[in-house]
Amino acid sequence: MCKSDPNQLETLVRQAVAGTGAVVTGIEAPSLCNHGSRRKRLWELDGHAHCPVVGVCLPISLLRKVVNKALGGQAVADDYELHCGAVADCKQRGAVAEAVQRELERRYVLAVQKAGKLKTTEALAAWWDEALRCQDIAGPLWATLTHARCTPELAHRVEGQVHMLQHQVGMATRMDFDRFEALLDENALLTRELAAAQQRSTRQVEEHTRRQDALQSLVMQLRAQLMARDTAVAALQADLQTLEAASPGLKTRFEMARELERLVEHNHSHQRALLHAQQESERQRRRADDLAAELAQRDAIAADATADTTTPELPARLDDQAVLCVGGRPASVPIYRQLIEGTGGRFMHHDGGEEDSDAKLDATLAAADLVICQTGCISHNAYWRVKDHCKRTGKRCVFVESPSRAGLGRALRSLAVVEAPSPGKASSTA
C-alpha cells in the first residue's frame, strides 16, 4: 500500500523512473501510487467505524444470533450491552469479528459487487452520496468503508453523515412512536365506538326482526279473518238466494221492516224532545213562582215602610246613642239604618252569626248603648250571647220577633216610655 509520507513517495517515484530520463513532478507522483484491490476487513477499519457498521448494517436480532453462534452459547445481555460488546470485539480479529465479517459479506454481497466496479475515490464518494439520498445506506456503508479506494477523509465524512442520520432517524422514530401511540389510542377509541355501534346495530336488527315477525303473524291472522269473512259472505249470499227463491216477497217485507224501525226510532226521538220540553216548562214555572214570592215579599216590606211613615219621632234621649241591630234581612238593613239615623242615633249592625263571627258580636255589643235583637233572624248562639251580655251589663235590650220596619218602630217607641232597667237586668219587648 502507498504510504502517506511525501518524502518516501517522492523517493519511490524517482527510483521507479530512474534511467528513463523523464521528469516527474510532485503532482504526478500520487497518481502512480498503487493502492491495490484488497478490501479492508472489519477489524482493519478505523476505531470510530465499528459502532455505525454494527448498529446500522446488522439488526439487533440478527447480531444476537451471530454472537450466540460464534460464542457457542446464549447471550443474556440486553440490546445495548450486546451492541457495545460486539463493537469492542470487532476492533480486533477474533471469533466474533470473523463471524460478523462473514455475515456482512453474505448479507451485502450485491452492494460489494457494485462498489467493486468503482476504481476511484471520487466515484466511490459519488456512489455513497446517491445511496444517502435514497436512504438505503446499510449495504453502501459496508461496501464504502471496506473499499480499497476509501480514504480516511471519505471514511470520516461517511461516519459523520451516518452519525447525524442516526440522530435524525432516532428523532423520526420517536415521532413515529408518539404518532403510533396516538394512533393506538385513537384506534382503541374507534374500536370501542365500533363495538358500541355494532351492539346498537345488533339490537336494531333484533328489534326489526321481532317487529317483522309480529307483522308477519298479524298478516297471517288478517288473511285468515279475511278468508273466514269471505266464506261467511258466500254462505250468507247462498242463504239469501235460497230465501228469495222460497219467498218471492221477502225483500219487500224486509224493506218494510227497516222502514218501521226507522219510524219507531223517529217516534222515540220526538218523545224524548217532548219530555225535555216538559221538564224545561216545569223549571220555568218554578222559577216564576219563586219570582212571584219574592215580589210579594218586597210588596210586604214596602207596605210596612208605608205604614210606618207616620211614626212619631223618637225622644231626644236617643240622640248620639249607639244602637246595635242584631239580625234582620240583608235587604232591610238600609231601612233600619235610615230609621235609626233619622232619630239622631248611630246605627250598628250584626247579622246574628250568618257571616259575621261571634267574636265580632261581642266587640259590637260592648260598643253599643242600646241593643235591638230580631229573634227570628239570628242563630241560637247569637241570641244567648246578646241576652247574657245585656243581663250582665244592664244594657237596654229589645227583642223583636217580626223583622220589619214597623216592628223596629214599635220597639223604639216602647223605649221612649220605658224606664231604663236597673243594673244587672235586661228588658224585653215582644
Side-chain angles (χ1 to χ4, degrees), residues 295-355:
L295 291 175
Q297 183 178 4
R298 289 183 180 180
D299 292 341
I301 295 174
D304 292 341
T306 303
D308 293 338
T309 52
T310 58
T311 302
E313 295 183 0
L314 297 177
R317 61 189 178 88
L318 294 179
D319 288 346
D320 201 22
Q321 293 187 17
V323 180
L324 173 61
C325 182
V326 182
R329 297 188 183 93
S332 302
V333 173
I335 299 174
Y336 301 160
R337 179 185 297 274
Q338 181 181 6
L339 181 62
I340 293 175
E341 289 181 352
T343 64
R346 291 184 285 108
F347 177 76
M348 300 173 63
H349 180 261
H350 191 280
D351 63 2
E354 295 294 330
E355 295 182 359

Side-chain angles (χ1 to χ4, degrees), residues 362 364-368 371 384-395:
D362 294 337
T364 309
L365 286 171
V371 181
W384 291 111
R385 280 177 177 270
V386 171
K387 190 171 183 179
D388 180 70
H389 178 81
C390 293
K391 183 177 180 180
R392 286 188 292 101
T393 60
K395 192 170 294 184

Side-chain angles (χ1 to χ4, degrees), residues 42 50-67 79 82-83 86-87 90 96-108 137-139 141-142 166:
L42 178 61
H50 297 90
C51 181
V53 167
V54 174
V56 175
C57 298
L58 289 179
I60 192 64
S61 58
L62 181 59
L63 178 62
R64 186 176 294 275
K65 292 180 180 179
V66 172
V67 172
D79 294 344
L82 179 65
H83 171 78
V87 169
C90 290
V96 175
E98 291 179 353
V100 174
Q101 171 74 24
R102 288 192 299 270
E103 181 62 27
L104 291 173
E105 289 294 319
R106 182 195 65 80
R107 188 177 182 84
Y108 302 111
I137 65 170
L141 175 61
W142 170 248
Q166 286 178 326

Side-chain angles (χ1 to χ4, degrees), residues 132-204:
L132 188 63
R133 282 193 298 271
C134 297
Q135 296 184 356
D136 182 17
I137 65 170
L141 175 61
W142 170 248
T144 300
L145 292 179
T146 58
H147 198 279
R149 297 295 183 269
C150 182
T151 62
E153 292 78 7
L154 179 58
H156 180 72
R157 181 165 71 87
V158 169
E159 293 170 5
Q161 291 173 340
V162 171
H163 181 77
M164 294 307 299
L165 185 61
Q166 286 178 326
H167 283 297
Q168 296 174 2
V169 170
M171 181 60 68
T173 302
R174 181 59 188 175
M175 294 176 63
D176 291 340
F177 180 77
D178 293 341
R179 190 179 298 110
F180 179 73
E181 290 290 334
L183 290 176
L184 286 179
D185 295 339
E186 184 178 359
N187 182 65
L189 177 61
L190 293 176
T191 300
R192 291 192 295 269
E193 293 180 354
L194 177 60
Q198 289 177 346
Q199 292 178 358
R200 291 194 299 269
S201 177
T202 301
R203 289 195 297 268
Q204 291 176 357

